[in-house]
């Protein structure tokens, strides 16, 4: 199947939902936080619920911890492909980077938190690794969330080359004095029949383990939601409302990972209203 046809079948790509965002650089808007519709929802009824064994690991985010505790400022750079974007004028706020920023700002209102997304459709890991050096210099982030893997799998990039690109990118982030979270591909039942993703997902897991960096296992998280009936991920390719909800849950899960890996639970948060 041609690459463009496979792209159209992927879950939640911005290009399939509306006009491409170019240049694909967004910064979420700082405004009054909206009421949290899940604040009073019991955990067992919460569609965003993720088992701890899928979400959390042993790797830590020491630079994030220092930035929040000592400087009261946190800059996060999300580097990704089309699945990190949402269409429309409100897309930046509804995509998972924007949701991540809002959740963290609510959790730590005394900290200046900014999440910047640099995303472009059809980027290979090697493309992103090459762009990292300039992005790190320009943005000076404390944390880089690197979403990759799908395009490499679609194009059949040599697995060893894929792994080398991941290592190169992580080297750039470490040299810049920042933390990194690797995020793998998204899950949809249909995509799993079209693209062989498992080898690339395994490589990302091994690299995260060997480099002692957290892995946000988006693929297994979304598989869990689909298998447990939280979301019908066959529907999400046609239903923008479902796509928004999935991105909201991804942002929440990412925030939980950041808080846990940076050991931020001890920081005083705004009291629950």
């Amino acid at each position: 199947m041609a690459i463009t046809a496979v792209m159209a079948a992927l879950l939640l790509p911005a290009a399939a939902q509306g006009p491409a965002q170019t240049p694909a650089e967004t910064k979420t808007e700082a405004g009054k936080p909206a009421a949290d519709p899940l604040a009073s929802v019991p955990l067992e009824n919460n569609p965003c619920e993720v088992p701890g064994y899928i979400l959390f690991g042993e790797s830590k985010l020491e630079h994030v911890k220092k930035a929040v505790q000592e400087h009261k400022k946190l800059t996060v750079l999300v580097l990704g492909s089309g699945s990190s974007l949402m269409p429309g004028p409100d897309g930046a706020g509804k995509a998972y980077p924007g949701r991540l920023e809002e959740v963290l700002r609510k959790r730590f209102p005394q900290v200046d938190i900014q999440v910047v997304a640099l995303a472009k459709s059809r980027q290979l890991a090697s493309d992103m690794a090459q762009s990292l050096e300039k992005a790190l210099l320009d943005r000076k982030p404390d944390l880089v969330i690197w979403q990759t893997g799908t395009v490499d799998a679609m194009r059949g990039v040599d697995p060893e080359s894929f792994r080398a690109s991941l290592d190169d990118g992580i080297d750039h982030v470490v040299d810049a004095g920042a933390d990194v979270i690797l995020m793998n591909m998204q899950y949809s039942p249909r995509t799993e029949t079209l693209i062989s993703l498992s080898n690339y997902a395994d490589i990302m897991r091994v690299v995260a383990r060997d480099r002692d960096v957290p892995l946000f296992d988006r693929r297994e998280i979304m598989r869990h939601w689909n298998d447990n009936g939280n979301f019908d991920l066959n529907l999400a390719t046609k239903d923008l409302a479902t796509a928004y909800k999935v991105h909201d849950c991804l942002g929440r899960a990412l925030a939980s990972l950041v808080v846990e890996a940076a050991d931020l639970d001890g920081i005083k948060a705004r009291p629950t209203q």
Side-chain angles (χ1 to χ4, degrees):
M1 181 177 291
I3 288 177
T4 53
V6 176
M7 284 294 292
L10 290 176
L11 175 65
L12 312 183
Q17 302 288 0
Q21 298 184 20
T22 54
E25 175 177 341
T26 60
K27 180 181 179 301
T28 59
E29 296 295 330
K32 293 183 179 180
D36 187 347
L38 296 178
S40 61
V41 176
L43 182 60
E44 62 271 19
N45 298 324
N46 187 340
C48 299
E49 175 270 333
V50 180
Y53 70 88
I54 296 178
L55 183 57
F56 302 124
E58 299 298 323
S59 301
K60 298 300 180 182
L61 300 174
E62 297 296 342
H63 293 288
V64 172
K65 182 177 183 179
K66 182 176 181 180
V68 172
Q69 290 186 336
E70 297 184 13
H71 305 298
K72 304 299 180 185
K73 183 177 181 180
L74 177 64
T75 301
V76 180
L77 173 65
V78 177
L79 187 69
S81 59
S83 66
S84 293
L85 301 170
M86 291 296 288
D90 299 327
K94 292 183 180 295
Y96 73 79
R99 306 309 301 141
L100 169 66
E101 180 179 88
E102 182 174 335
V103 172
L104 288 177
R105 283 183 170 182
K106 286 181 176 179
R107 176 68 174 80
F108 305 107
Q110 75 280 23
V111 180
D112 178 12
I113 297 173
Q114 296 184 350
V115 178
V116 177
L118 296 177
K120 184 178 180 180
S121 297
R122 299 179 175 86
Q123 281 200 114
L124 297 170
S126 57
D127 299 327
M128 295 188 226
Q130 291 176 6
S131 70
L132 256 174
E133 192 169 5
K134 183 178 187 303
L136 290 165
L137 183 63
D138 292 344
R139 301 296 177 178
K140 297 178 174 57
D142 306 291
L143 170 65
V144 175
I145 299 173
W146 187 6
Q147 172 265 306
T148 191
T150 303
V151 179
D152 291 81
M154 288 167 47
R155 296 186 180 178
V157 170
D158 177 71
E160 287 305 313
S161 296
F162 177 61
R163 176 168 183 158
S165 295
L166 294 177
D167 277 322
D168 288 345
I170 293 173
D171 286 341
H172 285 313
V173 177
V174 171
D175 290 345
D179 290 321
V180 60
I181 293 174
L182 291 180
M183 178 191 296
N184 61 13
M185 55 287 292
Q186 53 193 354
Y187 171 82
S188 89
R190 186 180 180 192
T191 302
E192 295 291 322
T193 68
L194 298 174
I195 308 173
S196 180
L197 298 173
S198 295
N199 190 27
Y200 296 87
D202 289 342
I203 289 171
M204 294 189 71
R205 186 173 293 107
V206 170
V207 170
R209 181 199 65 196
D210 292 350
R211 300 301 299 266
D212 194 21
V213 302
L215 172 71
F216 184 75
D217 198 343
R218 182 171 58 157
R219 185 175 180 230
E220 289 307 311
I221 289 171
M222 292 177 66
R223 189 197 303 272
H224 168 79
W225 289 337
N226 184 76
D227 291 349
N228 283 272
N230 300 43
F231 297 103
D232 181 354
L233 297 183
N234 285 300
L235 178 66
T237 54
K238 301 177 181 179
D239 182 0
L240 194 56
T242 299
Y244 287 156
K245 292 175 184 177
V246 171
H247 271 253
D248 179 55
C249 286
L250 288 172
R252 293 171 186 272
L254 262 175
S256 295
L257 175 59
V258 170
V259 170
E260 194 275 341
D263 194 21
L264 300 180
D265 281 329
I267 294 181
K268 186 176 180 181
R270 176 161 48 195
T272 303
Q273 300 297 320

